[in-house]
């Protein structure tokens, strides 16, 4: 996800549009004229945080752009990627509103500094959708998110249940949390600990992984193996698939077969699904990106056209600063293991069958019933 991340609110700006044929004198078109009755259009900006987590450019971006175009052919979407830099994301937000964006959807690089982005966008007359993570600013107009701590709890509970199914009810766990600069990181961590701390498993080593980097996770996992030994842990809580990949790489480099341990993940990345099929990774979180990215685009289009977002999409609220309640679209997630990996394949999921069941994985796909 997540993985999720299952797994990760965006900013929306209220539409400002010109009606075709409107003169500088301010005279309105007759109500029955084509210009008066045509559906208004608007400019939408989608601000993504990084290229490290594959889902942003591979899934969220194309789904959002396609759904926005389907809902409003005359609307334009400009997508930016901050490549992990909070200062770059601020500059991109400023560029978006300078170029006339009336709706800005933000998946923040750094949830703490992103309040400045929201406030700058809002001061331009645009409103903000905080996407995947809720930026703590009273000027966030809509949120798009899920129960972030709940994802951490889902991952951890699945890990514990999987170990118990193998007859393992105690032992050391290595915990690989997400980035401390991401609001999600601490919440996944809290959710995981809400489960793990109540079990007979012990935390043999624990790390917060800067920038959600697989390389950082690999280095930290190598440190953990040195600390606890090759036989000093029975499983790994990894907050997303990127971290799981780094963990597995470190295990292999240290002569440990990853199929002998259980390793969590999140985001439903293609590489993670392939690892699940071969038994190297135990689970991931199904973030229904096809659904929530598309629905976020529908909310953005409604705002760009000066309309209220569909009531069936704005289905709850999330907490902002100082007791502010932010109207939100909330989605739900599922844990994916080899037993239900088909849920990640079209038509249910995002991935095409041949993207997952490549020649190297055909035997595993056949065993899992995908082929």
């Amino acid at each position: 996800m997540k993985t999720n991340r299952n797994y990760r609110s965006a900013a929306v700006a209220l539409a400002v549009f010109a009606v075709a044929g409107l003169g500088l004198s301010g005279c309105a078109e007759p109500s029955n004229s084509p210009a008066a009755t045509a559906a208004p259009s608007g400019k939408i900006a989608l601000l993504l945080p990084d290229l490290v987590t594959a889902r942003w450019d591979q899934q969220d971006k194309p789904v959002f752009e396609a759904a926005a175009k389907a809902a409003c052919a005359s609307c334009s979407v400009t997508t930016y990627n901050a490549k992990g830099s909070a200062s770059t994301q601020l500059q991109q937000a400023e560029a978006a509103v300078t170029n006339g964006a009336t709706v800005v959807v933000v998946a923040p690089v750094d949830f703490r500094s992103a309040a400045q982005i929201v406030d700058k966008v809002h001061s331009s007359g645009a409103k903000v959708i905080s996407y995947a993570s809720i930026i703590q600013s009273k000027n966030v107009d809509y949120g798009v998110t899920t129960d972030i701590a709940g994802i951490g709890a889902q991952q951890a509970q699945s890990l514990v249940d999987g170990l118990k199914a193998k007859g393992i009810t105690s032992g050391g766990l290595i915990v690989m949390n997400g980035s401390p600069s991401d609001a999600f990181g601490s919440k996944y961590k809290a959710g995981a600990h809400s489960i793990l701390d109540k079990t007979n498993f012990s935390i043999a080593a624990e790390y917060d992984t800067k920038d959600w980097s697989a390389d950082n996770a690999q280095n930290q996992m190598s440190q953990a193996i040195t600390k606890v030994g090759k036989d000093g842990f029975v499983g790994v809580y990894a907050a997303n698939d990127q971290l799981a990949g780094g963990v597995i790489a470190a295990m292999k480099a240290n002569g440990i077969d990853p199929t002998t341990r259980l390793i969590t993940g999140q985001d439903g990345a293609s590489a993670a699904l392939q690892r699940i099929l071969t038994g190297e990774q135990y689970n991931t979180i199904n973030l229904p990106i096809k659904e929530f990215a598309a629905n976020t685009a529908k909310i953005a289009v409604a705002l760009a056209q000066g309309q209220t977002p569909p009531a069936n999409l704005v289905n709850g609220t999330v907490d902002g600063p100082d007791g502010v309640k932010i109207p939100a679209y909330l989605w739900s997630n599922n844990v994916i293991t080899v037993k239900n990996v088909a849920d990640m394949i079209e038509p249910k999921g995002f991935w095409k069958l041949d993207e997952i069941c490549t020649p190297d994985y055909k035997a595993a796909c056949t065993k899992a019933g995908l082929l």
Side-chain angles (χ1 to χ4, degrees), residues 5 8 148 152 184-192 212 237 266:
R5 337 112 14 126
R8 237 199 172 113
I148 306 302
F184 284 13
S186 60
K187 291 182 179 179
Y188 293 138
K189 180 178 179 178
W212 295 95
Y237 169 82
Q266 179 196 171

Side-chain angles (χ1 to χ4, degrees), residues 11-37:
V12 195
L14 190 57
V16 179
F17 53 87
V19 177
L22 184 62
L24 292 177
S25 63
C27 297
E29 289 282 343
S31 61
N32 60 350
S33 72
T37 58

Side-chain angles (χ1 to χ4, degrees), residues 169-171 196 198-202:
T169 57
S170 64
L196 299 179
K198 298 176 183 177
T199 70
N200 291 326
F201 295 98
S202 61

Side-chain angles (χ1 to χ4, degrees), residues 71-122:
C72 176
S74 59
C75 292
S76 65
V77 177
T78 302
T79 301
Y80 303 81
N81 193 302
K83 299 181 180 179
S85 169
S87 60
T88 295
Q89 191 165 62
L90 175 59
Q91 293 168 5
Q92 290 172 340
E94 292 171 337
V97 295
T98 297
N99 292 330
T102 56
V103 176
V104 181
V105 179
V106 183
V109 172
D110 186 323
F111 75 100
R112 290 166 296 203
S113 62
Q116 185 180 3
I117 293 175
V118 174
D119 297 343
K120 280 185 174 289
V121 169
H122 203 268

